[in-house]
Amino acid sequence: MEPVVDRIAQPWGSRTPFEPGTPWPARVDAFLADGLAPQDVERWVPAASLLHSNGDAMDIAVRHGRIVGVRGRASDRVNRGRLGPKDLFGWQANHSPDRLTSPLMRRGGELVPCDWDTAMSAVVARSKGLLDESGPGSVGFYTSGQLFLEEYYTLAVIARAGIGTNHLDGNTRLCTATAAQALKETFGCDGQPASYTDIDHCDALALFGHNMAETQPVLWMRVLDRLEGAAPPRLVCVDPRPTPAAARATVHLAPRAGTNVALLNALLHEIIRTDRIDRDYIDQHTVGFDELAERVAECAPAWAARICDVPVSRIEHAAEILGTARRLLSTVLQGVYQSHQATAAAVQVNNLQLIRGMLGRPGCGVLQMNGQPTAENTRECGANGDLPGFRNWENDAHVAELARLWNVKPSRIPHYAPPTPAMQILRYAEQGSIRMLWISGTNPAVSLPELARIRSILGQERLFTVVQDLFLTETAQLADVVLPAATWGEKTGTFTNADRTVHLSDKAVDPPGHARPDLDIFLDYAHRMDFRDKDDQPLIGWHDPASAFAAWQECSRGRPCDYTGLSYERLREHGGIQWPCTDQAPDGTERLYGDGITWAAPETCETYGKDLVTGAPVSETEYRALNPHGRAVLKAAEYLPPHEDTDDEYPLQLTTGRTLYHFHTRTKTGRTPQLNAAAPDVWVELSATEAARCGVAEGDLVEVTSARGRIRGRLRVTAIRDGTVFVPFHYGYFDTPAGHRPADGAPGRAANETTITDWDPVSKQPLFKTAAARLTLVKRSDGAVAPAPTITASAPLHPRSFPPTAGGPAAAATQTAETEGERP
């Protein structure tokens, strides 16, 4: 009999402990529609997870042409059969009755259905008109971290060599732009150095701003199984909230928001002061150590303790763990990336690994994590602001190589200035120089900061907005043309997770109505626009996912992200394989830099770098002088206070983030019964000390106000650090009467009504975790409780008075099967 577990109330399932250096035992998780058993499934179709960045391999269950469930794949290196709550239940959103099934066009101020030819003809006519009137700079593209590799690459060629615009970016700018930039600053190139399997070997694990248990629950299962086995690793957790990782940590550091650089400089100071460094490794593989040592020389733990409001003893204890580990693995996510001095802080984590010589061997490395399932592909394919294949836009030889590949003149590919980041694209639209904006697979009317401003930009009459999505999102409601897209399970393509593992996701069922795969939409647009190469042949010569993948393979050949050893057939047979995968490395590459730093030389690097404080570019000449032999760069950074600090009017630090049961703006998870019931509405977190100061209590309806806007939610009192107020960012308006915005004059529901328009000067990533706010009482609870989960970072301070997290009305449908062993 297979054990049955409520995977809402027990999201990480049961434990399978293992020892360091041994394989992670398999455990197959599965969930089928009510009343169905495995023998009722007609086909199992390979895929991987869509609602986070972990890349959990799974098979889609199909019956009567309909998705009816999923099961994990025991043989896959990423998850060994395990699935998280969003994996198990999220597929149900595909069947939501409000899926878009035909194109829409705005007529008389209303969006009305039309056919594909009418919609695409309107998009093409506006595109050609703007190119004739104003040139390529009048057109911009803002895409996702949830499409497939083949779709991103096609879009990149359309934007760069078809339209010729510099204005292409992804919503990965909001979540992992800093990850990419930090890797480029240190190693000269993007690409994750470490591997998930390093968790199996490490004796110390440091999580910097990474709420792994909620953002990557299957990876947290791996950590939990190590913690329950023999010789568990010591954990260092840096997070202002009481996350599940913080509860299991040897040392938990909860610094003031915006002080990560000060904390990291103190940790580096202690490791260098105690001579717990690998001098041979530093001399052979890095440049810049003397400058780093000089910068942190005065950054003693006592200095950082005053800035960060963290006990000196905890900083010293953390430094001792990091400095004495024999196999150290560090991970980084949004607590660093979306906070003040984001790139500078992330780079200091790289520095920590390098000065300890902890890179390129089992249990040793850094994972600059992603936040979305295909964020890595956005970056590889050049849909996030870089050139495809991790090429350097300032290197004429790299641009010429791309031009030869696409058979266009180098001047056709814009490289006169850096590619335009998302926040600047919106600024150009606000100013009127961008007159057409094509948004695919993302919802900026909920996810971008200072939403009142974003709505005003997207609602301009002079801006022609195209939205390509599954649902009539808050953003789609502001569009001129809406294109219905197919999603995961309804199309074929590849995607790559945070540790470079490539999976194939095959089409299992047809999309609803007239919805089309994103690749088909882009190919149709390219055909209608009649983009040509320099020999007057079609610029885009591929016609389906397989031929698009083959084209991408040629683009990746000889680059760090080399896919030439992969094929759809191999991925179907083998499951996930890590790039680079070549004839020389046919089984993929588990970790990078085992034989030294390989892509930092001036001729091969993806960037020459930037100043970590100002963001000013480093010139090629300066980089050649600094790093002629292509070593890792140890870049120092001074701590600077946040731009917006607390004061008498706004005495609290406002931070936003994610919860286990939702993804981004809930367009899918909000339509999944079990997930939505587990976290049905927005809430506000505050410590008991701050609650007493504000005169509020658990369950009270409160208002959070910043200089930009205000929102309301019920209060959850937790063990969050004093002086901090937290709001989950997922909740918009699609399931409210207002539709896409707060009702007139009313407070909002979306956390980003309150966040600041500010970004990291290096990565250009918006800062969602550094703002000031105040909290006031609206109405006493009268017995109501906050609609927040009780077993995650939002756990109540006094849990005995609360029912455990469950699926609410959908609780009966949260039971999933777990099976140990090697079943597929």
Side-chain angles (χ1 to χ4, degrees):
M1 181 71 178
E2 297 179 356
V4 175
V5 178
D6 181 344
R7 292 300 299 280
I8 295 295
Q10 300 178 59
W12 305 289
S14 57
R15 300 278 56 79
T16 55
F18 68 115
E19 299 179 1
T22 63
W24 189 23
R27 187 196 84 198
V28 177
D29 297 344
F31 175 69
L32 295 176
D34 189 38
L36 294 183
Q39 60 267 27
D40 299 319
V41 176
E42 297 170 357
R43 289 185 295 126
W44 293 96
V45 180
S49 52
L50 185 69
L51 297 175
H52 51 77
S53 67
N54 209 58
D56 303 333
M58 65 177 73
D59 296 318
I60 300 172
V62 179
R63 177 179 169 86
H64 298 161
R66 186 176 173 88
I67 296 175
V68 295
V70 292
R71 71 178 179 193
R73 202 174 310 135
S75 60
D76 198 89
R77 64 172 306 278
V78 169
N79 57 319
R80 304 282 286 138
R82 293 160 184 79
L83 298 175
K86 292 192 286 288
D87 301 330
L88 289 163
F89 306 121
W91 56 268
Q92 296 167 97
N94 284 37
H95 304 322
S96 181
D98 61 340
R99 281 285 301 273
L100 291 171
T101 57
S102 69
L104 306 173
M105 281 190 63
R106 190 167 296 280
R107 290 174 175 156
E110 300 292 329
L111 287 169
V112 298
C114 65
D115 59 31
W116 273 100
D117 185 62
T118 300
M120 294 304 293
S121 295
V123 174
V124 169
R126 180 57 64 96
S127 300
K128 290 182 174 179
L130 286 172
L131 289 174
D132 290 342
E133 297 167 12
S134 306
S138 60
V139 179
F141 296 87
Y142 183 50
T143 190
S144 179
Q146 299 168 60
L147 306 188
F148 289 165
L149 177 151
E150 295 81 355
E151 294 161 344
Y152 292 129
Y153 183 55
T154 302
L155 177 59
V157 179
I158 286 172
R160 302 294 188 214
I163 297 292
T165 182
N166 227 5
H167 308 324
L168 166 64
D169 202 5
N171 68 3
T172 48
R173 183 66 54 184
L174 315 185
C175 59
T176 58
T178 298
Q181 193 66 44
L183 293 170
K184 290 187 287 187
E185 293 296 332
T186 300
F187 302 106
C189 186
D190 198 350
Q192 199 71 264
S195 171
Y196 290 169
T197 52
D198 287 318
I199 290 172
D200 306 351
H201 302 277
C202 68
D203 66 351
L205 174 62
L207 287 78
F208 294 95
H210 183 191
N211 183 2
M212 185 190 290
E214 300 194 56
T215 57
Q216 293 173 300
V218 169
L219 198 61
W220 180 239
M221 296 175 203
R222 197 171 198 142
V223 173
L224 287 175
D225 287 348
R226 274 295 318 274
L227 293 176
E228 295 298 320
R234 294 180 292 175
L235 260 62
V236 174
C237 175
V238 179
D239 201 302
R241 299 174 70 214
T243 64
R248 297 297 299 263
T250 312
V251 179
H252 174 210
L253 302 166
R256 279 177 52 83
T259 65
N260 290 327
V261 167
L263 177 63
L264 283 156
N265 279 354
L267 295 173
L268 290 166
H269 166 98
E270 278 296 280
I271 290 169
I272 294 172
R273 183 187 67 80
T274 55
D275 199 30
R276 290 167 171 160
I277 60 176
D278 188 331
R279 291 188 180 274
D280 288 342
Y281 188 92
I282 292 168
D283 291 342
Q284 293 176 27
H285 299 295
T286 74
V287 295
F289 176 74
D290 290 343
E291 292 83 353
L292 176 66
E294 181 180 1
R295 168 59 63 190
V296 303
E298 303 301 321
C299 300
W303 167 83
R306 291 190 295 272
I307 295 170
C308 304
D309 189 27
V310 172
V312 174
S313 60
R314 291 194 186 182
I315 299 175
E316 292 172 339
H317 191 186
E320 185 271 333
I321 292 173
L322 302 176
T324 59
R326 292 174 298 172
R327 296 178 183 268
L328 171 64
L329 176 66
S330 293
T331 74
V332 191
L333 199 60
Q334 311 299 16
V336 171
Y337 301 159
Q338 294 181 343
S339 192
H340 178 59
Q341 293 191 282
T343 305
V347 165
Q348 302 319 302
V349 179
N350 295 342
N351 290 345
L352 192 156
Q353 294 291 144
L354 286 166
I355 66 172
R356 292 236 50 230
M358 297 285 175
L359 201 68
R361 51 194 174 90
C364 305
V366 60
L367 289 165
Q368 297 281 357
M369 287 296 195
N370 299 343
Q372 296 190 74
T374 61
E376 192 65 42
N377 302 123
T378 318
R379 286 148 52 180
E380 297 160 4
C381 296
N384 73 321
D386 289 318
L387 294 184
F390 296 156
R391 290 174 172 88
N392 187 342
W393 70 270
E394 294 184 276
N395 187 323
D396 288 342
H398 286 197
V399 177
E401 183 179 52
L402 206 55
R404 286 193 298 273
L405 188 70
W406 294 344
N407 196 32
V408 298
K409 295 179 179 180
S411 58
R412 179 94 165 260
I413 302 170
H415 59 286
Y416 50 84
T420 314
M423 296 300 288
Q424 190 64 49
I425 289 175
L426 269 293
R427 179 60 172 156
Y428 287 153
E430 185 176 40
Q431 294 172 327
S433 61
I434 288 181
R435 301 292 297 277
M436 173 177 158
L437 183 59
W438 190 328
I439 301 169
S440 51
T442 188
N443 191 15
V446 178
S447 61
L448 287 180
E450 198 173 348
L451 288 181
R453 173 176 173 261
I454 299 303
R455 287 190 292 268
S456 70
I457 294 171
L458 297 177
Q460 295 177 103
E461 288 191 15
R462 67 184 177 188
L463 179 66
F464 185 80
T465 306
V466 180
V467 172
Q468 183 172 314
D469 216 314
L470 316 183
F471 299 98
L472 194 63
T473 63
E474 291 86 342
T475 302
Q477 292 176 54
L478 297 168
D480 296 286
V481 175
V482 179
L483 305 176
T487 187
W488 170 96
E490 300 166 358
K491 59 182 183 178
T492 294
T494 50
F495 52 104
T496 307
N497 76 347
D499 84 334
R500 298 174 283 103
T501 301
V502 185
H503 285 107
L504 176 68
S505 182
D506 267 322
K507 178 181 177 180
V509 299
D510 290 329
H514 299 288
R516 293 181 177 178
D518 297 273
L519 179 62
D520 290 0
I521 297 171
F522 292 145
L523 291 174
D524 183 30
Y525 177 71
H527 174 73
R528 290 170 182 264
M529 289 293 292
D530 197 27
F531 295 130
R532 297 277 166 170
D533 66 15
K534 64 182 182 181
D535 295 328
D536 201 35
Q537 296 300 306
L539 174 66
I540 294 177
W542 51 92
H543 59 279
D544 63 5
S547 55
F549 184 76
W552 162 250
Q553 285 180 295
E554 287 308 307
C555 184
S556 75
R557 185 181 296 276
R559 296 302 301 162
C561 49
D562 196 323
Y563 279 62
T564 53
L566 295 174
S567 67
Y568 278 14
E569 291 71 23
R570 282 202 68 198
L571 293 170
R572 284 191 183 104
E573 178 183 350
H574 184 277
I577 301 173
Q578 290 173 286
W579 64 248
C581 181
T582 64
D583 290 341
Q584 293 71 41
D587 297 322
T589 306
E590 189 169 21
R591 53 187 62 84
L592 304 182
Y593 309 130
D595 298 319
I597 310 304
T598 48
W599 292 97
E603 297 78 19
T604 58
C605 66
E606 186 180 0
T607 180
Y608 304 125
K610 297 179 182 179
D611 184 280
L612 293 186
V613 173
T614 67
V618 174
S619 71
E620 179 183 357
T621 301
E622 291 171 317
Y623 187 79
R624 286 183 179 277
L626 170 70
N627 196 20
H629 304 298
R631 297 174 178 176
V633 180
L634 294 167
K635 280 196 166 183
E638 64 176 310
Y639 165 71
L640 298 173
H643 298 154
E644 180 169 286
D645 207 348
T646 56
D647 56 25
D648 290 342
E649 186 176 6
Y650 301 111
L652 296 171
Q653 287 193 305
L654 170 66
T655 184
T656 68
R658 305 182 182 198
T659 186
L660 171 64
Y661 302 103
H662 284 302
F663 183 64
H664 281 203
T665 61
R666 297 172 58 248
T667 51
K668 300 180 188 72
T669 56
R671 293 172 167 90
T672 301
Q674 299 90 338
L675 301 175
N676 199 52
D681 207 344
V682 71
W683 70 90
V684 176
E685 292 176 24
L686 204 63
S687 71
T689 299
E690 295 299 339
R693 287 175 183 165
C694 296
V696 293
E698 172 69 41
D700 286 351
L701 183 64
V702 298
E703 187 163 290
V704 178
T705 305
S706 76
R708 292 153 294 278
R710 57 196 178 107
I711 63 166
R712 286 184 181 179
R714 293 209 173 267
L715 184 69
R716 168 58 53 84
V717 178
T718 76
I720 193 171
R721 67 160 283 124
D722 292 341
T724 302
V725 57
F726 170 86
V727 183
F729 88 101
H730 308 287
Y731 299 89
Y733 305 99
F734 77 84
D735 52 352
T736 71
H740 70 275
R741 57 178 176 79
D744 291 340
R749 183 195 197 196
N752 282 321
E753 303 289 354
T754 62
T755 50
I756 187 172
T757 300
D758 191 12
W759 53 84
D760 180 67
V762 187
S763 67
K764 313 303 181 186
Q765 181 162 346
L767 306 183
F768 296 101
K769 298 181 183 292
T770 309
R774 65 173 178 266
L775 184 145
T776 53
L777 174 68
V778 176
K779 186 181 179 181
R780 293 293 180 194
S781 70
D782 294 328
V785 297
T790 59
I791 54 172
T792 60
S794 57
L797 193 60
H798 303 293
R800 292 179 183 175
S801 59
F802 290 82
T805 298
T814 66
Q815 309 296 313
T816 67
E818 291 184 355
T819 308
E820 291 190 20
E822 293 292 337
R823 251 179 56 179

